[in-house]
Amino acid sequence: MEQVNNEQVFEQKIAGSKPTIAVFKTTWCKDCHFIDPFMPAVVEAYKDRLDFIQLDRDEVPDLCEKLNILGIPSFIAFREGEELVRFVSKLRKTRDEIEQFLDRALEVADALKK
């Protein structure tokens, strides 16, 4: 998953026609570390259909404020610079829940193509 640490690169990454999943985390977040062991396999499983970027909330506070990122980790799907859907909750996220979100992001992206 590519690390992005400024708003300009973020805007470039989410501008494409392939949906991009932005994962907002921090180094001090226990729930963020909980997903670390399985996220590489999730990214690998979806890499043909989704692009993934990761942002440290503490490195891009203005962007997080603009996007109303309050809880972490937060997952937001974008395509062509527009938000499609987000997965934000105060509860720890499981692999199954994250994969369900990714499937939902793909469904929304497909529905908006038509």
Side-chain angles (χ1 to χ4, degrees):
M1 191 170 350
E2 183 178 350
Q3 186 72 35
V4 172
N5 57 12
N6 70 64
E7 193 167 341
Q8 293 76 23
V9 174
F10 169 78
E11 295 294 341
Q12 292 170 356
K13 296 292 179 184
I14 67 166
S17 59
K18 184 177 179 182
T20 298
I21 305 299
V23 182
F24 293 84
K25 299 170 67 181
T26 65
T27 56
W28 50 264
C29 165
K30 287 185 173 123
D31 289 342
C32 298
H33 291 293
F34 175 78
I35 69 172
D36 285 343
F38 60 78
M39 278 308 293
V42 171
V43 170
E44 181 66 24
Y46 285 85
K47 70 178 184 182
D48 293 337
R49 298 171 288 160
L50 296 168
D51 287 333
F52 290 84
I53 59 174
Q54 180 173 298
L55 299 95
D56 186 317
R57 188 181 188 284
D58 293 340
E59 291 180 0
V60 288
D62 293 341
L63 175 62
C64 288
E65 186 175 328
K66 189 162 77 171
L67 293 172
N68 200 28
I69 303 293
L70 302 173
I72 48 174
S74 288
F75 294 77
I76 305 179
F78 294 91
R79 188 180 67 204
E80 296 173 354
E82 298 294 321
E83 181 177 330
L84 300 174
V85 64
R86 64 173 59 198
F87 178 33
V88 181
S89 73
K90 62 183 177 186
L91 304 175
R92 179 172 276 180
K93 292 154 183 70
T94 66
R95 179 176 181 161
D96 189 48
E97 290 171 327
I98 292 168
E99 289 176 343
Q100 287 175 24
F101 163 74
L102 298 176
D103 291 340
R104 177 78 180 123
L106 288 166
E107 288 174 17
V108 170
D110 286 345
L112 292 175
K113 273 187 200 173
K114 297 173 182 164

